[in-house]
Amino acid sequence: MKALTWHGKRDVRIDTVPDPTIEHPTDAIIKITSSGICGSDLHLYEVLGPFLDAGDVLGHEPMGIVEAVGPEVTHIAPGDRVVIPFNVSCGHCFMCDHDLQSQCETTQVREYGSGATLLGYTKLYGQVPGGQAEYLRVPQAQYGPIKVPEGPKDDRFVYLSDVLPTAWQGVEYADIPEGGTVAVFGLGPIGLMAAQVALHRGASKVFGIDLVPERLAEAERRGAIPVDTTKVEDLTAHLQEQTNGRGPDSVIDAVGMEAHGAPVGKFAQAMAGFLPDAVAQKLFETAGIDRMSVLHAAGDVVRRGGTISLSGVYGGMADPMPMLQLFDKQVTIRMGQANVKRWIPDLLPLVTGDDDPLGVERLATHKLSLDDGPKAYESFQKKQDGMIKTLLQPHGPA
């Protein structure tokens, strides 16, 4: 089969790799109909090379049609249409029983002290071949796959794999008061959907903060108040003026380590690219390698007693936190990988009805063939061609 594979920094290719097969009784094989390119895939494209091997298959936002199932998989069958959560979880361990599927004890990657295995996402998270391919082996398929109805296009459902649960959890963790205000840093797919979810759940004002014109325009179309950081001299003062002098009740950081600027983190990331993998891995595990400007800005703008919700991925163990400020302002911080299955009961009714309250059908700006994947990564990383969200469709339009 064809698959999109990693070969080095800013080097992803279409390779021919062996077709996946059932390896365990709890496996399933699906034929991929759509697979998203995620902002966190850019971490692999740019930053996390020391934890990848040439030929690793990328992608963690897939959906498709079941081709085969192992003998212990009974809730889905060949021919079913399914979405696959990006975290691989068993459904029966202590963590899964407590709706912390991203910490699944059955699939934790203990070698690196990491949480649950993720599809297509480095040695840190199990190095399982991902879903930017024609076919996918799904581990723990006795629990993970989400069966969805026939009929509507993939756009309705594919974001249940990552984007929607991550945005929903980001809003849940932000603890926005009834009729409260929230600032969303970063208007990629997660940030846009977090803004949409916050409005759906009753926020009175959602400030969408970015510097890319197309993203700001899309946030405004979705009902957020766009804030262009290239045109606002003092972001904290600007937001305080619109929130009774206090600042937003909550802040959602949907950027993480890919924030623009922050030269120290940028230098550390660049240096890692020149080091042997073993040395570079140690740098990532023990040093501060993230670009922390957004987290610092979040601490500046949130009101005293407010909440910061981190949805953006951070990677360094020794990143400097603005602890004096956060402590003095009595700020609550919540964070973590989305517990996908935890939020499906909330989300599935919103994407299966006749209406489209979260605007999922208009999120994808590009639908491309798998062969176009390498160019799509380049365009997404450079924020070109108005690209906000790309779906790869290995077998044609779905």
Side-chain angles (χ1 to χ4, degrees):
M1 69 170 183
K2 290 193 295 186
L4 197 150
T5 61
W6 183 91
H7 284 271
K9 184 175 181 179
R10 300 180 193 170
D11 182 5
V12 296
R13 308 173 190 174
I14 298 297
D15 286 341
T16 299
V17 302
D19 289 355
T21 59
I22 299 290
E23 299 177 12
H24 304 285
T26 53
D27 286 348
I29 306 296
I30 69 166
K31 178 182 179 180
I32 301 293
T33 55
S34 292
S35 189
I37 298 178
C38 179
S40 57
D41 287 329
L42 295 183
H43 305 337
L44 313 182
Y45 193 65
E46 282 282 335
V47 181
L48 294 176
F51 298 97
L52 289 157
D53 292 328
D56 281 355
V57 180
L58 306 179
H60 60 271
E61 297 185 352
M63 70 171 292
I65 307 299
V66 177
E67 290 274 304
V69 297
E72 295 183 19
V73 179
T74 59
H75 80 294
I76 56 172
D80 285 344
R81 190 183 192 195
V82 293
V83 178
I84 308 303
F86 75 94
N87 36 37
V88 180
S89 51
C90 71
H92 57 72
C93 69
F94 175 89
M95 291 296 176
C96 288
D97 284 345
H98 287 77
D99 275 330
L100 293 168
Q101 292 89 353
S102 67
Q103 310 301 323
C104 174
E105 291 179 326
T106 300
T107 73
Q108 281 178 15
V109 185
R110 290 175 173 81
E111 178 184 358
Y112 289 98
S114 301
T117 293
L118 308 182
L119 293 177
Y121 213 78
T122 79
K123 298 173 186 176
L124 288 169
Y125 289 100
Q127 207 169 25
V128 174
Q132 289 168 7
E134 292 183 300
Y135 295 89
L136 172 71
R137 181 181 71 86
V138 181
Q140 301 296 326
Q142 84 289 345
Y143 175 67
I146 302 157
K147 189 174 177 179
V148 296
E150 298 295 332
K153 292 182 178 180
D154 281 8
D155 303 54
R156 272 296 181 107
F157 306 117
V158 66
Y159 306 118
L160 293 171
S161 60
D162 181 355
V163 174
L164 281 173
T166 298
W168 192 273
Q169 179 172 295
V171 172
E172 182 78 14
Y173 283 8
D175 196 24
I176 306 165
E178 182 68 30
T181 58
V182 59
V184 179
F185 281 85
L187 298 174
I190 301 296
L192 285 171
M193 200 51 65
Q196 187 87 65
V197 168
L199 288 166
H200 175 76
R201 295 179 59 170
S204 61
K205 290 183 179 179
V206 176
F207 303 97
I209 302 166
D210 208 299
L211 44 70
V212 180
E214 295 87 351
R215 297 182 175 197
L216 289 160
E218 180 60 22
E220 187 170 24
R221 281 191 290 270
R222 290 173 175 269
I225 300 168
V227 180
D228 186 341
T229 57
T230 67
K231 298 178 180 178
V232 175
E233 184 173 340
D234 187 334
L235 181 61
T236 301
H238 178 78
L239 295 178
Q240 286 176 344
E241 287 173 4
Q242 301 181 67
T243 53
N244 298 316
R246 297 188 184 94
D249 298 303
S250 307
V251 175
I252 297 172
D253 174 358
V255 180
M257 72 167 83
E258 286 295 321
H260 288 267
V264 174
K266 184 175 182 179
F267 175 75
Q269 292 177 9
M271 285 299 297
F274 296 103
L275 297 171
D277 280 358
V279 179
Q281 286 183 18
K282 186 56 64 177
L283 172 66
F284 276 82
E285 291 168 8
T286 61
I289 53 82
D290 294 312
R291 311 185 199 184
M292 301 291 287
S293 53
V294 169
L295 183 55
H296 283 268
D300 285 338
V301 306
V302 70
R303 71 160 169 81
R304 291 179 179 272
T307 301
I308 296 174
S309 172
L310 302 184
S311 295
V313 175
Y314 286 92
M317 286 291 286
D319 287 316
M321 289 277 287
M323 292 305 297
L324 175 62
Q325 178 191 57
L326 296 173
F327 179 83
D328 178 65
K329 294 180 73 172
Q330 201 169 333
V331 170
T332 298
I333 300 178
R334 292 197 70 182
M335 66 190 83
Q337 299 278 10
N339 303 298
V340 173
K341 296 280 285 198
R342 164 67 180 85
W343 308 114
I344 295 304
D346 296 300
L347 290 165
L348 201 54
L350 299 177
V351 298
T352 52
D354 292 336
D355 57 353
D356 182 18
L358 299 183
V360 293
E361 290 186 347
R362 65 179 190 271
L363 184 60
T365 54
H366 295 70
K367 296 179 182 179
L368 303 172
S369 71
L370 188 62
D371 290 333
D372 291 325
K375 177 60 178 174
Y377 266 78
E378 181 182 0
S379 296
F380 192 28
Q381 192 272 334
K382 294 180 178 178
K383 298 178 174 62
Q384 296 175 335
D385 194 30
M387 184 174 286
I388 296 175
K389 186 63 178 180
T390 294
L391 297 179
L392 299 179
Q393 299 180 318
H395 299 278

